[in-house]
Amino acid sequence: MKDAVDSLPADRSVEAEDFANRKLIRPSLNRADHNHAQASMSEPRERTERPDRPERPDRPERGDRPAGGGRKPAPPEQTNAENFYYQKQMQSKTPMVIVLRDGEEIHGMIEWYDKSCLKVTRNSQSNLLIYKPAIKYMFKEGENSKK
Protein backbone atom coordinates (compact mmCIF):
# COMPACT_ATOMS: atom_id res chain seq x y z
CA MET A 1 0.00 0.00 0.00
CA LYS A 2 1.35 3.45 -0.92
CA ASP A 3 1.56 6.33 1.54
CA ALA A 4 -0.92 9.08 0.78
CA VAL A 5 1.49 11.84 1.95
CA ASP A 6 4.79 12.43 0.22
CA SER A 7 7.67 12.28 2.61
CA LEU A 8 9.67 15.46 3.25
CA PRO A 9 13.03 15.90 4.86
CA ALA A 10 12.72 16.35 8.62
CA ASP A 11 14.41 19.77 8.71
CA ARG A 12 11.88 21.42 6.29
CA SER A 13 8.35 22.34 7.25
CA VAL A 14 5.40 22.71 4.86
CA GLU A 15 3.84 25.57 6.88
CA ALA A 16 6.97 27.72 6.93
CA GLU A 17 7.39 27.35 3.16
CA ASP A 18 3.78 28.22 2.30
CA PHE A 19 3.32 31.27 4.55
CA ALA A 20 6.74 32.89 4.50
CA ASN A 21 6.24 35.20 1.50
CA ARG A 22 2.63 36.27 2.03
CA LYS A 23 1.82 39.88 2.83
CA LEU A 24 -1.40 41.61 3.72
CA ILE A 25 -2.87 43.87 1.08
CA ARG A 26 -5.47 46.38 2.22
CA PRO A 27 -7.07 48.38 -0.57
CA SER A 28 -8.20 51.87 0.34
CA LEU A 29 -11.86 52.31 -0.55
CA ASN A 30 -13.61 55.58 -1.11
CA ARG A 31 -17.00 56.08 0.49
CA ALA A 32 -18.72 55.83 -2.91
CA ASP A 33 -17.02 52.49 -3.57
CA HIS A 34 -17.93 51.21 -0.15
CA ASN A 35 -21.60 52.17 -0.45
CA HIS A 36 -21.88 50.85 -4.03
CA ALA A 37 -23.04 54.25 -5.27
CA GLN A 38 -21.01 53.87 -8.45
CA ALA A 39 -23.15 52.62 -11.32
CA SER A 40 -20.44 50.91 -13.32
CA MET A 41 -17.14 49.55 -12.09
CA SER A 42 -15.60 49.64 -15.58
CA GLU A 43 -14.55 53.30 -15.54
CA PRO A 44 -11.48 54.07 -13.44
CA ARG A 45 -11.90 56.85 -10.92
CA GLU A 46 -9.39 59.26 -9.54
CA ARG A 47 -8.51 58.75 -5.92
CA THR A 48 -9.52 61.71 -3.76
CA GLU A 49 -8.25 62.37 -0.29
CA ARG A 50 -10.70 62.98 2.50
CA PRO A 51 -10.64 66.63 3.58
CA ASP A 52 -9.68 67.34 7.17
CA ARG A 53 -12.57 68.25 9.40
CA PRO A 54 -12.42 71.59 11.19
CA GLU A 55 -12.06 71.61 14.97
CA ARG A 56 -15.34 71.80 16.90
CA PRO A 57 -14.77 73.56 20.24
CA ASP A 58 -18.32 72.86 21.44
CA ARG A 59 -17.68 69.09 21.56
CA PRO A 60 -15.13 67.35 23.78
CA GLU A 61 -12.53 65.12 22.17
CA ARG A 62 -13.16 61.38 22.11
CA GLY A 63 -10.58 60.75 24.82
CA ASP A 64 -12.15 63.39 27.09
CA ARG A 65 -15.63 61.87 27.05
CA PRO A 66 -16.67 59.67 29.95
CA ALA A 67 -17.17 56.00 29.24
CA GLY A 68 -20.69 55.05 28.19
CA GLY A 69 -21.33 57.41 25.31
CA GLY A 70 -21.19 60.74 27.14
CA ARG A 71 -24.43 60.27 29.03
CA LYS A 72 -24.79 60.74 32.74
CA PRO A 73 -24.93 57.52 34.72
CA ALA A 74 -28.37 56.37 35.78
CA PRO A 75 -29.38 57.21 39.35
CA PRO A 76 -29.11 54.37 41.84
CA GLU A 77 -32.11 52.08 42.18
CA GLN A 78 -32.26 52.53 45.95
CA THR A 79 -31.14 55.57 47.95
CA ASN A 80 -31.50 53.91 51.39
CA ALA A 81 -33.26 57.04 52.73
CA GLU A 82 -36.15 54.94 54.00
CA ASN A 83 -33.79 52.57 55.81
CA PHE A 84 -31.88 55.50 57.32
CA TYR A 85 -35.14 57.01 58.62
CA TYR A 86 -36.24 53.72 60.22
CA GLN A 87 -32.83 53.23 61.84
CA LYS A 88 -32.90 56.73 63.31
CA GLN A 89 -36.42 56.29 64.75
CA MET A 90 -35.55 52.86 66.15
CA GLN A 91 -32.38 54.04 67.89
CA SER A 92 -34.03 57.07 69.48
CA LYS A 93 -37.20 55.04 70.32
CA THR A 94 -39.36 57.82 68.92
CA PRO A 95 -43.11 57.40 69.47
CA MET A 96 -44.67 57.26 66.00
CA VAL A 97 -48.16 57.50 64.55
CA ILE A 98 -48.73 55.22 61.56
CA VAL A 99 -51.82 56.00 59.50
CA LEU A 100 -53.12 53.08 57.46
CA ARG A 101 -54.88 53.35 54.11
CA ASP A 102 -58.27 52.82 55.73
CA GLY A 103 -57.65 55.79 58.08
CA GLU A 104 -56.82 53.81 61.26
CA GLU A 105 -54.05 55.33 63.38
CA ILE A 106 -51.55 53.11 65.18
CA HIS A 107 -49.45 54.62 67.99
CA GLY A 108 -46.18 52.97 68.96
CA MET A 109 -42.44 52.68 68.39
CA ILE A 110 -40.78 51.00 65.42
CA GLU A 111 -38.95 47.98 66.82
CA TRP A 112 -37.95 46.26 63.61
CA TYR A 113 -38.33 46.70 59.84
CA ASP A 114 -37.91 44.63 56.73
CA LYS A 115 -38.23 45.09 53.00
CA SER A 116 -41.97 44.57 53.18
CA CYS A 117 -43.11 45.19 56.77
CA LEU A 118 -42.65 47.05 60.09
CA LYS A 119 -42.93 45.72 63.64
CA VAL A 120 -44.54 48.28 65.93
CA THR A 121 -44.31 47.98 69.73
CA ARG A 122 -47.26 49.49 71.59
CA ASN A 123 -47.44 50.24 75.35
CA SER A 124 -50.82 48.93 76.47
CA GLN A 125 -51.67 46.73 73.50
CA SER A 126 -50.12 43.87 71.56
CA ASN A 127 -47.28 44.41 69.08
CA LEU A 128 -48.20 44.62 65.40
CA LEU A 129 -46.55 43.56 62.17
CA ILE A 130 -47.71 45.99 59.49
CA TYR A 131 -47.16 45.49 55.77
CA LYS A 132 -45.69 48.59 54.14
CA PRO A 133 -48.24 48.70 51.28
CA ALA A 134 -50.98 49.12 53.93
CA ILE A 135 -49.34 52.30 55.31
CA LYS A 136 -50.64 55.58 53.98
CA TYR A 137 -48.14 57.78 55.87
CA MET A 138 -46.42 58.11 59.25
CA PHE A 139 -45.16 60.89 61.47
CA LYS A 140 -43.65 61.49 64.89
CA GLU A 141 -46.31 61.56 67.61
CA GLY A 142 -45.48 65.13 68.74
CA GLU A 143 -45.83 66.56 65.21
CA ASN A 144 -49.59 66.10 64.88
CA SER A 145 -50.68 69.31 63.18
CA LYS A 146 -54.29 68.26 62.58
CA LYS A 147 -55.50 68.48 66.18
Side-chain angles (χ1 to χ4, degrees):
M1 198 194 257
K2 290 186 177 181
D3 291 334
V5 178
D6 293 335
S7 61
L8 293 174
D11 61 337
R12 294 183 66 197
S13 169
V14 175
E15 291 84 13
E17 205 172 272
D18 289 342
F19 296 109
N21 293 330
R22 293 187 182 197
K23 73 178 186 180
L24 179 65
I25 299 171
R26 298 178 117 186
S28 60
L29 299 175
N30 290 337
R31 287 183 185 254
D33 291 342
H34 183 69
N35 292 333
H36 305 289
Q38 185 174 337
S40 87
M41 299 290 274
S42 61
E43 297 179 19
R45 292 179 35 163
E46 291 184 19
R47 194 175 295 210
T48 57
E49 294 294 324
R50 184 174 170 187
D52 292 335
R53 292 184 180 178
E55 298 272 338
R56 295 182 76 179
D58 59 331
R59 296 173 107 186
E61 293 297 322
R62 285 189 184 258
D64 298 341
R65 292 181 189 168
R71 294 183 180 178
K72 291 182 180 179
E77 291 292 323
Q78 187 174 10
T79 61
N80 297 320
E82 181 182 13
N83 296 339
F84 179 74
Y85 181 77
Y86 292 145
Q87 285 288 338
K88 185 177 177 185
Q89 304 312 323
M90 286 168 47
Q91 289 173 356
S92 63
K93 297 188 178 187
T94 307
M96 301 288 293
V97 177
I98 299 170
V99 181
L100 302 179
R101 292 202 180 271
D102 63 355
E104 183 182 355
E105 291 185 358
I106 298 172
H107 297 263
M109 294 179 289
I110 299 172
E111 182 180 334
W112 175 85
Y113 72 96
D114 192 1
K115 184 180 177 183
S116 59
C117 54
L118 295 174
K119 183 179 179 184
V120 179
T121 305
R122 302 188 295 175
N123 292 334
S124 60
Q125 298 171 326
S126 62
N127 299 339
L128 294 175
L129 189 66
I130 304 171
Y131 286 103
K132 287 182 182 178
I135 298 173
K136 189 173 185 180
Y137 61 92
M138 65 175 70
F139 57 92
K140 295 178 185 175
E141 195 163 353
E143 296 178 351
N144 190 358
S145 60
K146 290 183 182 178
K147 296 178 182 178

